[in-house]
Amino acid sequence: SIRDDKCPQRSGYNRNEYRYGNGSASIVDFKILNSEMEEIVGIRSKEVFLVRCRVIFDEDVKRPIFGITLKTKDGIELYGTNTLLKRTEIGEKRKGDDIWIEYRLRGNLQPGDYLISVGVASFDGGMVVPLDRRYDLATLSVLPGDESFGLVNLEGEIRIFDTI
């Protein structure tokens, strides 16, 4: 499936990605989409965006796990989740299965460039086995959404009272 890899052709692809796994499955494409389902490379702070990944299975996998991580360019992990943590039952995947996984995220981030990592693993004998992990696969740019500062945008509000 590596020969079918479309990731390098996508806008936002990071050619300095780090990739590893045993090859039982391959992440061969990705898309970053806005809420109108348009491909994008950037969002405004607080906007919802989707990350879709195409996975082809080169072997049968009983309990696949799909995950995503978002971090700063300095390597600080800001958010990560996966189907094991979310207790999402996927079911067995067979050799030749060709699927898309979708992650829906709200970009509560401050302006800057962030890195998206994705992966597929299996849960076998109590151990997580990496099948294909693509660290820093893509860059996402965030534009200002309001007047605030820091790493994340917590959508803070300020209220003033004479007395409580």
Side-chain angles (χ1 to χ4, degrees):
S1 297
I2 299 298
R3 68 186 178 282
D4 298 326
D5 189 13
K6 304 278 190 279
C7 295
Q9 301 166 20
R10 293 285 178 196
S11 296
Y13 172 72
N14 175 23
R15 62 187 172 141
N16 296 315
E17 73 164 312
Y18 174 65
R19 187 175 190 181
Y20 70 95
N22 71 9
S24 297
S26 299
I27 300 167
V28 298
D29 200 359
F30 77 94
K31 296 178 182 180
I32 303 172
L33 306 166
N34 63 18
S35 57
E36 284 80 43
M37 308 311 280
E38 300 164 325
E39 284 191 58
I40 58 169
V41 294
I43 60 168
R44 288 219 172 267
S45 182
K46 302 189 290 183
E47 283 185 347
V48 170
F49 66 100
L50 307 172
V51 178
R52 289 186 177 167
C53 298
R54 182 179 175 203
V55 180
I56 297 175
F57 288 85
D58 297 315
E59 295 180 15
D60 294 349
V61 177
K62 289 184 181 177
R63 294 184 65 195
I65 303 166
F66 303 97
I68 189 167
T69 304
L70 190 68
K71 66 183 184 180
T72 67
K73 286 208 163 193
D74 296 328
I76 299 170
E77 288 186 349
L78 299 173
Y79 179 78
T81 194
N82 63 50
T83 54
L84 181 64
L85 293 173
K86 294 282 191 184
R87 295 180 174 86
T88 304
E89 276 300 319
I90 305 298
E92 184 174 359
K93 294 299 170 199
R94 299 277 187 194
K95 179 178 181 175
D97 283 355
D98 185 340
I99 64 169
W100 284 86
I101 304 300
E102 179 179 278
Y103 306 94
R104 182 183 181 278
L105 305 167
R106 179 172 299 279
N108 284 354
L109 304 165
Q110 293 297 352
D113 291 329
Y114 298 87
L115 295 165
I116 298 172
S117 301
V118 293
V120 58
S122 66
F123 193 69
D124 191 16
M127 305 242 342
V128 174
V129 178
L131 308 181
D132 192 14
R133 288 193 175 162
R134 299 189 77 158
Y135 276 58
D136 305 341
L137 173 67
T139 301
L140 177 72
S141 294
V142 177
L143 302 172
D146 64 10
E147 299 299 324
S148 59
F149 56 91
L151 283 177
V152 296
N153 187 336
L154 299 180
E155 300 183 46
E157 297 178 6
I158 300 172
R159 296 171 53 188
I160 300 171
F161 297 93
D162 288 333
T163 59
I164 294 183

